[in-house]
Amino acid sequence: VRAQSYTTYQALKDSTFTDTRVEIVPSSSSSRRMDMSNNTFIDSQIKLGASSGSSSTGLILRDSTFSSTQAPPTGGSWTDYYIDGNDYGKWIIQNNTFSPANGWKNLRYIYNIGNMRAPYNWWGSATNTTIDSNINDYLDSNGGGWVNYTPFWTSSAMTQLDWNGTSPSSLP
């Protein structure tokens, strides 16, 4: 999905993706917004693109669910992460439900400039060590930035928040 620069707002809502790899590339203008919400990803991966000029507050992936019924594909450019990449750290990942299983993990952030905001998600666990094991970022020495996932929901009911996530001793 590639957004064009002549529109100020794009949305991808209420869709279901099964066995699909989706790449989202928003407009490069800082005044453009993209809202991805209420989507269901089953055995699917989403790659979030951006550019240095993209909005840092208007690119949002929210209120979506990520689950699996089988192992991730091993061929081509697939990885074992539901969300792979977030160029320039521009996307905000919030209020989603992740169910890591069958070899799938939640998120990989490898862009080396800036950090990623991912608050208010149910990560499939209420334990920060388990959450960390399903997020690949600066804390894994992968060359990318840090994923700030706090506060996070302590259950799939999404009624109570925990602020005890893991943070690096110094930010990249």
Side-chain angles (χ1 to χ4, degrees), residues 24-92:
I24 304 298
V25 181
S27 169
S28 61
S29 172
S30 63
S31 64
R32 307 297 195 261
R33 298 179 348 164
M34 182 171 270
D35 180 19
M36 297 201 48
S37 59
N38 299 314
N39 295 301
T40 302
F41 297 90
I42 304 166
D43 299 319
S44 295
Q45 181 178 76
I46 184 167
K47 183 171 178 9
L48 300 173
S51 69
S52 61
S54 295
S55 171
S56 59
T57 58
L59 305 178
I60 300 174
L61 172 60
R62 63 183 175 90
D63 305 319
S64 296
T65 60
F66 295 83
S67 63
S68 64
T69 62
Q70 59 191 2
T74 56
S77 57
W78 285 80
T79 65
D80 54 354
Y81 292 91
Y82 292 128
I83 299 175
D84 191 17
N86 179 0
D87 294 345
Y88 293 88
K90 301 285 186 162
W91 283 88
I92 300 168

Side-chain angles (χ1 to χ4, degrees), residues 11 68 86 102 104 112-113 117 138 140 152 158 161-162 167:
S68 64
N86 179 0
N102 299 312
W104 287 90
N112 65 356
I113 298 173
R117 292 174 288 168
Y138 176 79
D140 301 295
F152 58 91
M158 298 170 95
L161 290 169
D162 190 328
S167 61

